[in-house]
Amino acid sequence: PHSAPAGATRSFGAQYRAIDAAYTIASTTLPFDFVAMQDADIELPQADYYSQLLALFASEPPLGVSGGYIHERAGTAWKCRPSNSPQAVAGGIQMFRRTCFDAIGGYKPLAFGGEDWLAQLDAASLGWAVRPMLQLPVHHHRPTSTADGRTRGLFRMGMRDASFGSHPVFELLKCLRRAGERPYLCGSAIRYAGYTWYSLTRSGPVIPANRVDQLRAGQVARMLPRRLQPPLPTGRRSSSSSIICTSRFLRR
């Protein structure tokens, strides 16, 4: 098992090193075809969640990464998280076909997080389909990046985006779009401040140049008018209520 030293600071890199260490142990002792991640703060409201995911993978051989759709509590109800994307699978609930996970070399620990994001870019670059199962909600009990405080988490998310080489116009528009999310307005400003700080103080992206190009090409495509945007991946669709709560524009 892999564990951080006593008193070590919180690190997303350490988290994914632990996952890879566990995978190495499992791969030498157990036969399996799929690799699933589930954060401790994610609840599965459907007892057959993994059965449905396995059926989806069985029906779509090109599918390399999938998972449920994040819902968070809004008052007394669970609602689709505004930052969800029909083109990405949240890291806390990712499931890989093992051949895909092996092909990308597993997770690559990064100082500012985003290992799940890079894994999806790597998978897509190898021709694997990456798509969440929109009709399969999962309940997330703690908002993203709040373990060390919301302000610090938002700043770090901006630094993470910059560390990936996120297009500056895309990043600005994304932050403006999220100005209506709590903490209203200032949350977007904090996130963009993190992006700007990294851009001014660091030497550049931490991921390979070809992945930066891949990421930016997708972001530029999503900034185009809707009629010019590439189609969403084909396959199963969710109920209309799940689709309505998503947007093609300015995710990640």
Side-chain angles (χ1 to χ4, degrees):
H2 181 93
S3 60
T9 58
R10 178 177 171 83
S11 168
F12 285 85
Q15 171 190 349
Y16 286 98
R17 280 191 291 273
I19 290 174
D20 283 340
Y23 177 78
T24 298
I25 295 172
S27 63
T28 59
T29 58
L30 300 171
F32 57 92
D33 296 316
F34 298 92
V35 185
M37 319 299 166
Q38 182 182 332
D39 282 359
D41 59 3
I42 287 181
E43 174 191 4
L44 306 181
Q46 301 186 44
D48 64 344
Y49 170 86
Y50 281 109
S51 295
Q52 291 194 53
L53 264 187
L54 288 171
L56 176 65
F57 275 102
S59 68
E60 299 185 18
L63 185 63
V65 190
S66 190
Y69 224 41
I70 297 289
H71 284 60
E72 293 179 338
R73 189 179 293 280
T76 59
W78 290 94
K79 293 187 177 181
C80 180
R81 184 171 66 178
S83 59
N84 280 341
S85 168
Q87 298 167 309
V89 182
I93 198 65
Q94 285 182 341
M95 187 170 183
F96 293 82
R97 197 181 296 274
R98 182 179 179 179
T99 48
C100 172
F101 194 75
D102 286 343
I104 65 173
Y107 289 116
K108 302 174 178 64
L110 302 169
F112 300 102
E115 290 86 350
D116 56 307
W117 190 5
L118 179 57
Q120 293 177 86
L121 289 172
D122 287 342
S125 73
L126 296 177
W128 291 101
V130 177
R131 181 167 57 80
M133 200 170 181
L134 307 186
Q135 69 271 38
L136 199 56
V138 299
H139 293 170
H140 188 210
H141 286 270
R142 186 180 67 192
T144 301
S145 297
T146 58
D148 296 323
R150 186 61 171 161
T151 298
R152 181 175 293 182
L154 286 165
F155 193 85
R156 185 194 59 78
M157 289 170 70
M159 294 186 72
R160 179 204 63 193
D161 291 355
S163 75
F164 269 64
S166 182
H167 194 288
V169 176
F170 182 92
E171 190 71 19
L172 176 61
L173 292 175
K174 179 173 68 175
C175 288
L176 289 174
R177 176 192 169 279
R178 295 182 180 181
E181 299 176 15
R182 295 184 178 181
Y184 301 117
L185 190 58
C186 68
S188 290
I190 293 168
R191 181 165 183 163
Y192 196 71
Y195 176 89
T196 303
W197 175 259
Y198 182 99
S199 301
L200 293 174
T201 61
R202 307 283 173 162
S203 58
V206 298
I207 66 174
N210 60 338
R211 292 292 170 268
V212 176
D213 292 342
Q214 177 187 351
L215 172 66
R216 288 195 171 195
Q219 291 177 335
V220 169
R222 291 197 291 277
M223 288 190 286
L224 294 172
R226 185 173 291 274
R227 68 180 184 279
L228 298 178
Q229 292 181 15
L232 287 173
T234 58
R236 298 184 184 183
R237 292 294 186 229
S238 67
S239 64
S240 58
S241 61
S242 292
I243 293 176
I244 288 172
C245 73
T246 70
S247 169
R248 292 172 52 111
F249 189 52
L250 302 183
R251 306 297 188 193
R252 276 217 152 146

